[in-house]
Amino acid sequence: MKFIPCVLASLLIGCSAASEDIEPAGNGFILQNVNVVDVANRSILSSKTIRVENGKITSITDVDVSDRLADLPVIEGKGGYVTPGLIDMHVHMYERAAYVMTLSHGVTHVRIMNGVPKQLEWRDKVNAGEMIGSSSTVSSPIISGYKGAYLHHGVETAEEAREAVRQYHGEGYDLIKLYGNLSEEALKGAVAEGKRLDMPMAKHGPHASGEMPVGELKGLQSFEHAEDIYQGPLNYKFEPDRLPGIIAELKATEVPLTPTLNIFYQLTKLSEEKEAFLEQTPKHYTSYIIALEAKKNQVDRWLTASDRMVAHNKKTLAFLQLITKQAHEGGIPLLVGSDSGVLLSPHGLATHTEMRLMKEAGLDSYEVLAAATINSAKALGMENQIGQVVAGYNADFIYTASNPADDLSVLVEPAAVAKAGHWYTREKLDQLRVDAIKNRSFWEEVGVLFGAM
C-alpha cells in the first residue's frame, strides 16, 4: 500500500463526511412459521416461532401467535428458513459503506484484520445501534518486520514487539495481528505479552519464525491463509505427502485456520480472464482510494499474466483447496474469511465465494456453515452470543425462502436479515446498500486512511 500515503499526502483534508448514523429504533418482533437451521446438530427444527426482544432471541417455540393478541409485530415466515448470521473472519474495510454491504449479504459480524482508529468508533456505533451495518471485531494495525511501511507497525526486537502489543491493547483494539515476517525474537516477545495481557492474537501464516516451534503459538485466535502453508513450510513446493505432518503439528496448537481461498481465486480469475473478469466485478463495492491503490499495485500485474502464470495459479488454487480439505479432515477447525477489500474483492459477496470454494474443496454444507458461524463465534470468544439461532443469543440471523443446507447460494441475497433484533427485508437491504454507495464520502475515506499514518 505504498501508493496510498502518496495520494493522501497530496490531498487537503477539509470536508466533513456524509453521515449514515441512525437513531436507535425498536428491535423486537415475532417471526412465526419458520424452520430453524441447527448447524450444531446438522438438522432442521421445523415449524418454529422465534420471539425477539431488545435485540435478543428470548424464545423459540412451536406455538404460532395471533396478530390480534401479540404484543410485538408479527412476521409470517411462510415456511422459510432461518440460518445464523454469517461471520467473515478476515476483511479489510476502511469506509462506512462496507458495513452495510456485508450486512446486505447476510454477514452480520466481521473481523477486520488491519485496524485503524476510525474502525473502533464505527464498531462502537454499530454496537450502540447508532449506525446500520455488520458488527465488528477490530484487529490492531499489523505488527510486522517492515519498518516504515504504511498500515504496519514495524518491530525488530522483543521489547519493541511487547510495547506494540501494550499500545494497541491500551487503545482498545480487540486483537493483535502478527505478520509472517516477524523475527523469532519479536514474535516470541509479542506472543508472550499478548498472553500476559490476555489479548487475543491472530497470525498471518500458519507457522512460526526462525527456529521457534509452531507449538509455541498455542492459544492464538487463528492462523490466516492456507496459501502460507504452501509458501512457508512447503517452500512453494507441491508436496501433498508432507501435508499430514504439517497438519498434525498445527492441530496440536488447537488454533483454527482461516484459509482465505477467495483471494487466490480472485487473482487466478484476474490472470485467466483479465479485463473480462474485471468487468464482472462490482466496482461500486470498493471505495475510491482502495480501488485506485488496488488497480495500481495489485490488479495490473495479473492483467498481464502469461499463460504459464495462469496455469500455475490454477494449480496453486487447487492445491490450496486440497490443503483446506486435509486440514478439515485432520481435525483443524476452519473459519470463513474472505480477505474482502483486497484485489477489488467485494465485501459480502466475497464471503459467499469463500464458502463456495470451501464446499468445492470437499466440505459439506453444514461444515461450511459451521465455519461461518459456530467455529468463528468460538474463535472470537463470542460463542454464547452469536453463531447460533438459540434463545438468549443475539438476534442476528438470515431468512431465506428455501433451505441453505441444500443450496448455500440462497444466502447470497437473503429475503431478510435480522441484526441485533432489527428486521431488514430484501427491499430495505437493497435500498440501504444503494444509499451507502450514494453517500460514500471520498473525504471521509481520506481522513480514515490519513489518521492511520
Side-chain angles (χ1 to χ4, degrees):
M1 289 206 175
K2 294 179 181 178
F3 179 66
I4 289 180
C6 298
V7 174
L8 299 179
S10 67
L11 296 171
L12 177 64
I13 301 175
C15 297
S16 61
S19 174
E20 293 177 28
D21 291 354
I22 60 166
E23 292 299 321
N27 52 356
F29 56 86
I30 296 169
L31 176 61
Q32 65 181 17
N33 189 22
V34 291
N35 305 299
V36 176
V37 180
D38 183 353
V39 178
N41 294 302
R42 300 173 57 87
S43 63
I44 302 296
L45 307 178
S46 301
S47 302
K48 298 299 180 183
T49 293
I50 301 172
R51 183 180 178 90
V52 173
E53 299 177 80
N54 298 317
K56 298 281 188 181
I57 300 170
T58 55
S59 68
I60 301 176
T61 65
D62 297 323
V63 181
D64 285 350
V65 178
S66 166
D67 290 1
R68 187 169 52 83
L69 300 176
D71 57 341
L72 289 169
V74 177
I75 302 168
E76 173 52 49
K78 300 179 181 179
Y81 290 78
V82 171
T83 306
L86 305 177
I87 304 168
D88 192 322
M89 291 289 281
H90 198 122
V91 304
H92 297 270
M93 294 163 49
Y94 300 101
E95 59 162 352
R96 291 170 179 246
Y99 293 75
V100 174
M101 291 175 200
T102 50
L103 183 67
S104 74
H105 293 291
V107 181
T108 54
H109 192 89
V110 296
R111 185 177 64 164
I112 298 172
M113 290 302 282
N114 195 355
V116 299
K118 193 68 174 180
Q119 294 159 348
L120 302 179
E121 177 185 326
W122 290 336
R123 174 198 65 191
D124 295 344
K125 282 195 169 188
V126 171
N127 289 344
E130 298 169 1
M131 185 175 120
I132 294 176
S134 305
S135 52
S136 58
T137 297
V138 184
S139 88
S140 68
I142 297 171
I143 298 178
S144 79
Y146 295 128
K147 287 244 178 178
Y150 183 60
L151 295 180
H152 284 243
H153 184 136
V155 299
E156 294 176 349
T157 67
E159 185 48 42
E160 286 177 338
R162 287 177 180 273
E163 177 55 37
V165 172
R166 287 194 291 269
Q167 175 185 336
Y168 296 123
H169 176 265
E171 290 177 4
Y173 289 92
D174 298 305
L175 72 146
I176 298 296
K177 181 174 179 181
L178 304 170
Y179 212 54
N181 68 345
L182 285 169
S183 68
E184 180 177 348
E185 177 187 357
L187 180 58
K188 285 184 174 180
V191 170
E193 190 65 15
K195 289 180 177 178
R196 187 186 73 82
L197 294 171
D198 197 25
M199 181 72 163
M201 295 170 286
K203 172 136 190 329
H204 178 111
H207 50 77
S209 299
E211 300 300 318
M212 181 182 181
V214 72
E216 292 188 24
L217 299 177
K218 186 172 184 176
L220 297 193
Q221 190 174 91
S222 67
F223 289 129
E224 304 303 297
H225 311 304
E227 179 183 355
D228 275 70
I229 294 176
Y230 165 62
Q231 295 177 351
L234 292 178
N235 195 25
Y236 294 89
K237 295 176 182 177
F238 297 102
E239 296 180 340
D241 56 310
R242 291 181 56 196
L243 288 176
I246 294 170
I247 288 169
E249 288 186 347
L250 292 176
K251 182 187 178 184
T253 67
E254 302 178 355
V255 176
L257 171 66
T258 315
T260 63
L261 298 169
N262 164 73
I263 205 62
F264 207 92
Y265 168 83
Q266 186 86 353
L267 71 84
T268 299
K269 297 299 282 186
L270 278 168
S271 66
E272 181 182 17
E273 299 179 11
K274 299 181 169 59
E275 291 289 351
F277 182 74
L278 203 56
E279 285 300 315
Q280 299 169 22
T281 303
K283 297 176 180 59
H284 53 276
Y285 274 67
T286 306
S287 60
Y288 303 117
I289 296 176
I290 296 301
L292 189 61
E293 190 276 336
K295 186 72 170 66
K296 182 176 178 64
N297 289 334
Q298 302 172 38
V299 173
D300 284 353
R301 64 176 293 205
W302 300 115
L303 296 180
T304 58
S306 65
D307 290 345
R308 183 178 179 181
M309 178 56 73
V310 172
H312 174 77
N313 287 346
K314 292 169 76 172
K315 181 179 180 181
T316 304
L317 177 59
F319 190 56
L320 300 186
Q321 288 182 293
L322 175 65
I323 292 172
T324 300
K325 180 176 186 288
Q326 291 202 13
H328 171 67
E329 292 174 346
I332 297 175
L334 297 184
L335 313 176
V336 164
S338 65
D339 222 347
S340 67
V342 175
L343 271 176
L344 305 181
S345 189
H347 296 298
L349 291 173
T351 310
H352 294 279
T353 301
E354 181 73 14
M355 293 170 68
R356 174 175 60 80
L357 292 167
M358 292 175 76
K359 192 165 193 301
E360 291 174 359
L363 281 71
D364 66 31
S365 293
Y366 277 110
E367 290 166 341
V368 173
L369 286 171
T373 58
I374 295 171
N375 294 0
S376 293
K378 183 177 180 181
L380 292 170
M382 300 177 71
E383 64 269 33
N384 295 319
Q385 302 172 53
I386 60 175
Q388 297 188 69
V389 181
V390 174
Y393 279 56
N394 293 355
D396 292 0
F397 53 77
I398 304 167
Y399 170 78
T400 56
S402 55
N403 186 356
D406 296 332
D407 180 6
L408 290 172
S409 71
V410 303
L411 298 172
V412 179
E413 297 278 354
V417 174
K419 175 60 189 170
H422 296 279
W423 179 259
Y424 301 105
T425 63
R426 180 74 260 155
E427 181 181 9
K428 179 64 173 176
L429 291 167
D430 290 342
Q431 189 59 54
L432 285 169
R433 192 165 64 211
V434 168
D435 291 345
I437 293 166
K438 179 181 177 181
N439 295 328
R440 176 179 277 152
S441 169
F442 173 81
W443 291 106
E444 179 175 55
E445 186 184 2
V446 169
V448 170
L449 293 170
F450 197 85
M453 292 179 67

